[in-house]
Amino acid sequence: MSRLRRALTLDPVRSEKAGRHLTTFVVTAVSTILLTRLFLALTGYPQIGGDTGLHVAHVLPGGLLMLAAVAVQLSYVGRAPRPVAALLGGAGFGLFIDEVGKFVTADNDYFYEPAVAIMYVVFVALVVGSGRWRAHHPLDEDEEVANAAHVLVDGIAGHLPRRRREEVLRTLERLDGHFAARELHGLLSRVEPSPTAVPHRLENLWARVGELFDRLATTRWALPLMGACLLLQAAGAALVATGLWAEHGGAGVSFVGVLAGGAVAVAFALTGLARAPRAGRRAAVESFERSALTSLLVTQVFLFAASQFAALAGLAVALVLLGLVEADLERVRARTGG
């Protein structure tokens, strides 16, 4: 039994850039859904196949794009294929999950109202779940050095931008005690950097977004901006709940969900503000983080079920708030050693 367990055990090395590739995947998928639905609405929902009796659903090209993403990953080594695979896979998955209403209804109803909420739950669970996992299970030294060795593949092939090379060299200097770090540092130091290619530009885009949040978190406007986002969330939830009450003449599932999620988010925010004078900034920001996550995982689900695309504004505010909170917490934890 133990021999069989060892044979079935998977022990992959995690990528340090997984968060950025996952962000590319999700942003591409969501953008594909929005553009697809906009195109269909503007063109009167045409069917590919016309009057021939055939209907080529867009789940099929979605599957082909996901196949292309897998083929790119299997066909090339190094890091460059990953952003490309994230783009292709995200577009394919967006076309696939856009038709989820057909998959979960007996009459293949593309316009099934909870479909957008189902999509939203899938994407948020993917992003928040992977983020929580990475936060609680950071890469160990062996994995960090293994990632550096993977970068060396691009360098040997002449596809390593200067910025990425310098970033990895700094990591290897920090891990100088590891048996392979010094040798890898020497090899990478001799690699000639190349111009930044399109896949690396995509990674740099998300790096710049992260740097923007980091800069905002160090300014005196950080907490006021978080407070403004919290107020916007609360006001938006209240307005939508009022509209739902007026539209349906009473309390429906969406009304209760929006109201309950908004109330819990506000409670977390107020708790943070109350704890700040006694427990310090970190306690306040951690409460703001709980408020932002409650909005993402509860309030926005019911908002999307009730108002679909109108809920995008609330999602944007929640993501800005979460980005600020995470950047601020990262800085505070680094300073306090926790």
Side-chain angles (χ1 to χ4, degrees):
M1 180 62 72
S2 60
R3 185 173 299 175
L4 177 63
R5 189 182 297 113
R6 286 196 300 272
L8 296 176
T9 297
L10 293 176
D11 192 20
V13 177
R14 293 173 294 169
S15 170
E16 62 178 340
K17 300 296 183 184
R20 293 183 187 176
H21 298 320
L22 187 60
T23 300
T24 301
F25 177 90
V26 170
V27 169
T28 305
V30 172
S31 301
T32 301
I33 293 170
L34 295 176
L35 291 172
T36 299
R37 295 209 163 203
L38 177 62
F39 172 78
L40 292 176
L42 292 175
T43 55
Y45 297 92
Q47 290 189 356
I48 300 176
D51 299 327
T52 63
L54 298 175
H55 171 52
V56 181
H58 50 265
V59 69
L60 298 177
L64 291 175
L65 284 171
M66 288 190 281
L67 173 63
V70 173
V72 168
Q73 283 284 74
L74 295 178
S75 302
Y76 299 92
V77 297
R79 290 182 172 272
R82 294 192 177 187
V84 176
L87 276 172
L88 292 174
F93 187 72
L95 290 172
F96 161 76
I97 202 170
D98 181 56
E99 298 206 282
V100 68
K102 293 183 177 181
F103 306 151
V104 298
T105 55
D107 57 348
N108 295 326
D109 185 7
Y110 176 74
F111 302 101
Y112 181 56
E113 285 191 1
V116 175
I118 293 171
M119 299 178 212
Y120 176 80
V121 169
V122 170
F123 288 125
V124 170
L126 181 63
V127 173
V128 175
S130 64
R132 296 289 93 187
W133 171 260
R134 290 195 302 274
H136 292 287
H137 301 83
L139 299 183
D140 57 33
E141 287 192 359
D142 288 337
E143 287 177 310
E144 289 190 86
V145 174
N147 273 269
H150 200 191
V151 171
L152 181 61
V153 172
D154 288 339
I156 293 172
H159 303 307
L160 183 62
R162 182 180 300 278
R163 174 174 176 166
R164 182 65 178 134
R165 189 190 71 159
E166 299 306 317
E167 179 185 339
V168 177
L169 287 174
R170 287 194 298 271
T171 299
L172 291 172
E173 288 166 3
R174 175 172 56 82
L175 301 171
D176 188 58
H178 192 279
F179 74 93
R182 189 166 299 175
E183 287 78 3
L184 280 173
H185 189 283
L187 289 171
L188 273 172
S189 297
R190 295 198 296 273
V191 166
E192 284 296 324
S194 65
T196 304
V198 172
H200 293 289
R201 290 197 190 103
L202 193 59
E203 286 192 18
N204 292 340
L205 171 64
W206 300 127
R208 284 193 289 271
V209 172
E211 290 167 1
L212 173 62
F213 279 118
D214 289 338
R215 285 197 297 272
L216 285 173
T218 61
T219 67
R220 60 191 179 93
W221 301 106
L223 283 179
L225 190 54
M226 291 180 204
C229 289
L230 290 167
L231 285 174
L232 281 173
Q233 283 186 328
L239 284 173
V240 171
T242 303
L244 289 171
W245 180 276
E247 181 181 352
H248 298 290
V253 174
S254 295
F255 170 84
V256 173
V258 169
L259 198 62
V264 173
V266 169
F268 277 131
L270 293 176
T271 300
L273 291 173
R275 293 178 62 193
R278 294 179 289 103
R281 183 187 180 108
R282 174 172 175 170
V285 179
E286 285 178 342
S287 290
F288 291 168
E289 180 186 40
R290 297 185 188 101
S291 177
L293 290 173
T294 300
S295 177
L296 277 172
L297 298 174
V298 180
T299 312
Q300 294 300 320
V301 173
F302 292 99
L303 281 176
F304 269 96
S307 189
Q308 296 196 0
F309 297 106
L312 285 172
L315 175 61
V317 173
L319 290 175
V320 170
L321 174 60
L322 191 61
L324 279 171
V325 165
E326 294 291 350
D328 197 287
L329 277 179
E330 189 73 22
R331 185 175 60 86
V332 173
R333 286 167 179 162
R335 190 175 65 243
T336 58

